Amino acid sequence: MLAPSKQSTFVKVPARHLLRGDVTGSGEVVLSVSIGAKTPRGMVDVLLQKGERRRAAIWNARTIIGVRRGGATLEEVAQPETEIPLSDRLPTFHELAAFDAGKAWDRLSAEQQREIGVLALRFGTVGQCEGYFHETIEGVRKGFSSSHWPPQVQASAVWPRLHIELIESAAQATFEALCEHFDPLWPQLFGWHARKEVK
């Protein structure tokens, strides 16, 4: 029986398709690739390690990167020596699939519920309207979100470019604020540690 091959393959992939364990031309090992609220649209946040040195890089998601792939097993990729802090931990597939928003909501304090509620209302209004408005009636009629509207509603969706850009910017800022607000709450929302009772 043949032993599994340890030979690596050189491939060129967009940065968004990098995999854990890929080795870049500079000899850095890819530890993770993510797209999050803090990452600008169209960009990816890549965590790299070479020896003892780690660094984070933000790359265009479409940038083609040449990497060696398949030469190292996941176990050989450098692992952190200490356990990941709860504030940095990512939920597992099963935790996300079984996430109970009602139970998570009940674990929040009244103040936390208000803060999240306000952010959710802003995102549900300003954020949801992103993409509805266009500079011309033709743009509105071609728009995915607005093509089914009656003519009088379509006419109300014709806005100057500056107004459209301001709403799109506000929608993005609202989404980022919502995500940033949730990041430190993950241990509490997923029940990784019990909420300290407020006296």
Side-chain angles (χ1 to χ4, degrees), residues 4-18:
S5 172
K6 298 281 278 183
Q7 189 171 8
S8 62
T9 306
F10 182 78
V11 293
K12 291 185 176 183
V13 295
R16 69 178 176 275
H17 292 159
L18 288 169

Side-chain angles (χ1 to χ4, degrees), residues 14-36:
R16 69 178 176 275
H17 292 159
L18 288 169
L19 299 175
R20 186 171 177 220
D22 284 347
V23 181
T24 66
S26 61
E28 294 174 297
V29 177
V30 175
L31 298 181
S32 67
V33 180
S34 63
I35 301 171

